[in-house]
């Protein structure tokens, strides 16, 4: 049973060939077999999963469902009713939400089966999943390396064949970068395309729920189900959700593509550069017209992003005070001391760093100089994209300056970690959709993703490009290296 193709699973369940229960069992067995080596999941409750699959099997007797029986992994910062949601943080170690995110409700109504909650950097702050308070997640192509982050667990669940689809979240690249590091697809949608009701807030002007998958078709299917207006989220876009699947195969000949000069400067690893340059030539051979463009404010992007994201995080994280929910220190003197000790003990070092940076950037006398100015720079970045999209339909670039780095390599150097987000954060600042698709492997056998960016609500363009590209230029990697298991497929 191959857990890589969501469409095939859905068809098998709807036609009664292989039940949702059998797929759920296959996913649970795969997790059992490989996840002690990889650490993708924080919570898996097999009995609940099988019970839920049974419900789907009963439902499909009456009518077909668009995601019938598809096992999915969910990043642990997306609320799931009666299933622990920790955000990778000790402060929410015992938090079980009384409600599910809208995206989860929509998945389940469509017949999907949530198999577990996936590891992530604490409150989605990080680029390696090393900031989880609970465990390390390892890259299946090289277990000594990070899977990327912050949605590393979700990416590894898909890459290692535990689930065909997963949800992560994006604030500054947390789905595209792990997708690139793990050799799968990750789509950051337009800000507002998918409801964020039930996504635990990190930086509210940037946060998005975002899917992982093995093919543009599967991502298109998932997106069609979860996108769209939600009255529980006032920032969800009121626009009709297009049928992302129907136009997928339309050829891309004549599509105008831009290559932003600023994304190929200093710091770009030569192996990544040559893989991306080959990808651009491949796009040309599909009949796309490629030209150079400029996004001149890219040089301010990392600083801009980290001021805005930290400022908003410091405000959002004020709610974890040990009073209503979350961790409360067992010992304290008075109310103020209870706040202080609960937060000091509950949050990890990276979250504390962001809270301090963000509180400073918002404090009276500094607000205009930091947050206010950063929001102005954000507008300049947005305008760079507006100008580029007057000339081209989409942009091509690397996702990350390097392939997956070694565990421990950047964790004690926050600036180096932040700088690795240079090619992803601008899409979040501009609110535009962007996708990472498998483009090649380095000589050491590490995956490298190609980033495609388009104007707001042009997810269809990204998926169509990706479908055409991947049909023409499929990449196959070396065997995955973990615990002697060399292939992600489960034998039939
Ligand atoms: N690495 C970035 C950060 O740490 C992005 C995280 C994300 O997209 N959630 O903020």
């Amino acid at each position: 049973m191959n857990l890589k193709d969501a469409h095939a699973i859905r068809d098998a369940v709807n036609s009664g060939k292989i039940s949702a229960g059998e797929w759920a069992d296959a996913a649970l067995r795969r997790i059992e077999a490989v996840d002690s080596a990889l650490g993708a999941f924080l919570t898996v409750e097999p009995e609940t999963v099988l019970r839920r699959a049974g419900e789907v099997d009963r439902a499909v007797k009456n009518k077909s469902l668009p995601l019938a029986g598809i096992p999915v992994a969910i990043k642990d910062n997306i609320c799931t009713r009666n299933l622990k949601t920790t955000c990778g943080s000790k402060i929410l170690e015992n938090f079980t939400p009384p409600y599910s995110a809208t995206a989860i409700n929509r998945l389940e109504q469509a017949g999907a089966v949530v198999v577990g909650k996936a590891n992530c950097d604490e409150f989605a702050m990080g680029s390696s999943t090393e900031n989880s308070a609970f465990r390390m997640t390892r890259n299946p192509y090289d277990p000594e390396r990070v899977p990327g982050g912050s949605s590393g667990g979700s990416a590894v669940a898909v890459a290692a064949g535990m689930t065909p689809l997963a949800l992560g979240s994006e604030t500054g690249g947390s789905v595209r970068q792990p997708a690139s590091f793990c050799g799968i697809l990750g789509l950051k949608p337009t800000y507002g395309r998918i409801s964020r009701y039930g996504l635990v807030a990190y930086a509210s002007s940037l946060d998005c729920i975002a899917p992982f998958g093995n093919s543009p078709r599967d991502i298109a299917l998932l997106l069609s189900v979860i996108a769209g207006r939600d009255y529980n989220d006032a920032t969800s876009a009121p626009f009709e959700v297009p049928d992302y699947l129907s136009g997928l195969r339309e050829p891309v000949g004549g599509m105008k593509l831009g290559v932003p000069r600023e994304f190929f400067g200093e710091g770009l690893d030569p192996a990544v550069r040559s893989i991306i340059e080959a990808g651009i030539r491949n796009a040309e051979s599909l009949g796309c017209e490629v030209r150079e463009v400029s996004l001149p404010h890219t040089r301010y992007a990392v600083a801009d992003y980290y001021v805005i994201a930290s400022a908003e995080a410091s405000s959002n994280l004020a709610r974890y005070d040990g009073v209503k929910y979350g961790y409360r220190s067992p010992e304290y003197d008075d109310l103020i001391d209870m706040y202080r000790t609960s937060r000091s003990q509950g949050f990890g070092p990276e979250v504390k760093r962001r809270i301090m940076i963000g509180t400073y950037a918002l404090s009276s006398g500094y607000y205009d100089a930091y947050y206010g100015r950063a929001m102005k720079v954000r507008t300049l970045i947005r305008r760079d994209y507006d100008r580029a999209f007057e000339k081209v339909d989409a942009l091509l670039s690397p996702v990350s300056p390097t392939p997956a780095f070694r565990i421990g390599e950047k964790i004690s150097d926050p600036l180096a970690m932040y700088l690795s987000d240079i090619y992803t954060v601008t899409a979040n600042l501009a609110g535009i959709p962007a996708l990472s698709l498998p483009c090649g492997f380095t000589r050491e056998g590490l995956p490298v993703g190609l980033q495609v960016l388009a104007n707001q609500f042009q997810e269809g363009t990204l998926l169509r490009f990706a479908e055409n590209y991947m049909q023409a230029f499929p990449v196959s990697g070396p065997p995955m290296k973990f615990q002697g298991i060399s292939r992600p497929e489960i034998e039939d």
Side-chain angles (χ1 to χ4, degrees), residues 389-411:
F389 291 128
E390 282 167 12
K391 297 185 215 121
V392 298
D393 304 306
L395 300 166
L396 297 181
S397 82
V399 177
S400 174
T402 64
F405 42 89
R406 286 181 196 285
I407 290 170
E409 190 180 321
K410 298 194 189 208
I411 197 69

Side-chain angles (χ1 to χ4, degrees), residues 75 124-127 149-150 169-174 202 305-306 354 421:
K75 186 177 183 178
M125 295 175 194
S127 310
S150 62
S169 72
E170 271 251 4
T171 303
S174 281
Y202 161 11
Y305 168 81
Y306 276 95
R354 308 276 180 114
D421 295 336

Side-chain angles (χ1 to χ4, degrees), residues 5 17 60 124 138 158 168 307 389 392 428 453 473:
D5 181 342
K17 274 204 203 95
V60 293
R138 294 173 182 276
V158 173
V307 170
F389 291 128
V392 298
N428 304 76
L453 309 100
F473 306 102

Side-chain angles (χ1 to χ4, degrees), residues 286-364:
L286 291 171
C288 299
E289 293 167 25
V290 178
R291 61 155 92 171
E292 194 179 83
V293 297
S294 175
L295 301 169
H297 295 94
T298 304
R299 51 195 288 238
Y300 304 113
V302 170
D304 196 47
Y305 168 81
Y306 276 95
V307 170
I308 294 172
S310 303
E312 295 182 12
S314 80
S315 161
N316 275 325
L317 270 55
R319 72 191 70 174
Y320 305 102
D321 55 8
V323 177
K324 289 203 207 67
Y325 49 78
Y327 175 80
R328 180 185 300 172
S329 164
E331 278 170 46
Y332 47 86
D333 297 334
D334 54 20
L335 181 67
I336 298 296
D337 193 47
M338 193 274 281
Y339 294 153
R340 186 170 25 237
T341 48
S342 301
R343 286 168 68 81
S344 306
Q345 293 163 12
F347 287 134
E350 183 59 30
V351 173
K352 287 179 185 161
R353 181 179 296 122
R354 308 276 180 114
I355 292 174
M356 286 188 279
I357 294 172
T359 305
Y360 182 78
L362 289 177
S363 57
S364 127

Side-chain angles (χ1 to χ4, degrees), residues 3-4 9 15 47 81 115 166 201 325 366 388:
L3 281 159
K4 298 216 124 186
I9 295 174
S15 66
E47 277 170 31
R81 195 164 82 92
V115 296
Y325 49 78
Y366 291 102

